[in-house]
């Protein structure tokens, strides 16, 4: 296994994120690497194409605050300092690539739901991150608890 120094963990903050974070923590512990966490929120104007005649900035701010709090809780469990916790606005793969380069990351760890059919054809965040990264990428297969 390569000896990594800085691992960026891309989290979607779902229940299954803990599986991705645990895998990254295991690798980081084995290598003595620093962990950074990232969650990317797509602007609501992207999702709705700007067709909604209302100001979504307050809703967007609430989403960002909730994401920061969730990310902080995950980071606290592993002792990851605030300066390595990133909640950013933008397109997920693009922002993860940007953070990885800015922070001199040598491994990106992301979750993969292993979707098939139409979702596979349209691509996923994991696929986007993999194909544009300038460092190693580990896609962790997450198992959804269907209870």
């Amino acid at each position: 296994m390569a000896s990594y120094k800085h691992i960026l963990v891309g989290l979607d903050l779902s229940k299954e994120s803990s599986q991705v974070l645990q895998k990254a923590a295991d690798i980081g512990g084995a290598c003595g690497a620093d962990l950074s966490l990232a969650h990317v929120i797509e602007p609501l104007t992207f999702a709705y194409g700007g067709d909604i005649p209302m100001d979504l900035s307050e809703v967007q701010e609430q989403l960002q605050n909730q994401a920061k709090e969730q990310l902080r809780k995950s980071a606290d469990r592993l002792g990851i300092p605030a300066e390595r916790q990133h909640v950013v606005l933008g397109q997920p793969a693009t922002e993860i690539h940007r953070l990885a380069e800015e922070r001199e990351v040598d491994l990106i760890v992301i979750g993969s739901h292993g979707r098939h059919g139409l979702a596979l054809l349209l691509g996923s965040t994991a696929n986007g991150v993999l194909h544009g990264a300038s460092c190693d990428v580990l896609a962790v297969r997450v198992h959804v608890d269907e209870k």
Side-chain angles (χ1 to χ4, degrees), residues 4 8 20 23-24 27 107-112 126 129-130 135-141:
Y4 298 109
L8 177 63
V20 177
K23 180 67 79 172
I27 294 168
L107 175 65
I108 299 169
V109 178
I110 49 173
S112 174
V129 171
L130 175 66
C135 63
D136 290 351
V137 177
L138 173 63
V140 177
R141 177 67 53 109

